């Protein structure tokens, strides 16, 4: 089971997520979020974990210049919520509401109605959404160590994404919660 810990705001939290067994970390940029970081901070986070975990830069920007700035950081993947042309050297992840399929050429979809606000995922909606696409789908939204196992069993996603479900406060991860979340995921599908 692919597990992404998103909303990473410091090298320390990135390193903790790697140590806990995360497959990927998400760094938010150019977005109206308490977890959004500067390019300089993103660069420091990426440097701290380079080569040890998949790195994903996440953005809601509509600005092509912002996407170019993200590309210069050289993450492994770029997750967007608007149609952008992402260069082939990056994995392209499209944020998706589960209703209208994105028109861009994504490699995978992230079903996300929460945007880091802890709003629980609707399992029935997620099942119906997954049936609409042949692309791998990562689920996000209100997941915690106590809920993720049931979601994985019920929906069968390619992966899961957590942010607020493993935080002390927005942007600050709790290592014990990260470990518990990843253990719950691995307990279902190692």
């Amino acid at each position: 089971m692919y597990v992404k810990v998103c909303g990473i705001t410091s090298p320390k939290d990135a390193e903790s997520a790697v140590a806990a067994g995360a497959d990927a970390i998400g760094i938010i940029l150019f977005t109206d979020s308490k977890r959004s970081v500067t390019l300089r901070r993103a660069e420091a986070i990426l440097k701290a974990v380079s080569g040890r975990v998949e790195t994903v830069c996440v953005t809601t920007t509509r600005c092509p210049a912002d996407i170019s700035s993200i590309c210069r950081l050289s993450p492994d993947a770029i997750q967007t919520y608007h149609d952008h042309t992402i260069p082939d050297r990056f994995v392209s992840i499209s944020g998706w509401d589960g209703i209208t399929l994105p028109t861009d050429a994504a490699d995978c979809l992230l079903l996300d109605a929460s945007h880091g606000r802890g709003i629980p995922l609707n399992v029935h909606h997620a099942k119906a959404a997954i049936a609409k696409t042949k692309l791998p789908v990562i689920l996000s939204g209100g997941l915690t160590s106590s809920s993720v196992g049931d979601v994985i069993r019920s929906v069968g996603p390619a992966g899961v994404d957590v942010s607020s479900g493993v935080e002390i406060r927005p942007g600050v991860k709790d290592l014990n919660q990260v470990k518990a979340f990843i253990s719950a995921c691995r307990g279902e599908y190692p």
Side-chain angles (χ1 to χ4, degrees):
M1 177 59 50
Y2 174 91
V3 180
K4 181 176 103 186
V5 178
C6 201
I8 297 290
T9 60
S10 72
K12 178 183 175 225
D13 280 355
E15 290 170 350
S16 293
V18 171
D23 297 298
I25 60 155
I27 305 162
I28 301 171
L29 296 124
F30 302 112
T31 299
D32 181 22
S33 166
K34 292 178 183 178
R35 297 171 187 89
S36 191
V37 299
T38 64
L39 286 167
R40 184 179 207 150
R41 174 59 67 105
E43 187 173 39
I45 295 167
L46 289 164
K47 183 178 179 183
V49 296
S50 178
R52 297 189 295 147
V53 68
E54 181 180 65
T55 54
V56 182
C57 285
V58 179
T59 187
T60 59
T61 189
R62 293 182 183 270
C63 178
D66 293 344
I67 297 297
S68 293
S69 294
I70 290 170
C71 289
R72 284 191 292 279
L73 291 171
S74 295
D76 298 306
I78 299 174
Q79 178 181 318
T80 61
Y81 288 82
H82 303 289
D83 286 341
H84 289 287
T85 301
I86 303 299
D88 289 342
R89 69 181 184 273
F90 302 104
V91 173
S92 175
I93 304 170
S94 284
W96 182 39
D97 61 10
I99 299 166
T100 305
L101 282 168
T103 58
D104 58 1
D107 297 302
C108 129
L109 301 172
L110 180 107
L111 185 56
D112 181 12
S114 181
H115 299 280
R117 295 174 301 189
I119 298 169
L121 171 80
N122 180 312
V123 172
H124 300 293
H125 178 72
K127 285 181 187 178
I130 286 175
K132 292 180 183 182
T133 182
K134 292 182 179 174
L135 291 174
V137 176
I138 300 166
L139 300 181
S140 176
L143 299 174
T144 65
S145 60
S146 61
S147 68
V148 73
D150 287 340
V151 169
I152 291 169
R153 272 192 306 279
S154 298
V155 182
V160 292
D161 179 305
V162 67
S163 185
S164 62
V166 294
E167 289 181 327
I168 297 167
R169 62 182 177 279
V172 181
K173 304 304 182 214
D174 179 300
L175 179 57
N176 290 328
Q177 289 183 48
V178 172
K179 286 179 180 177
F181 184 87
I182 292 171
S183 291
C185 294
R186 302 287 189 243
E188 295 303 322
Y189 296 96

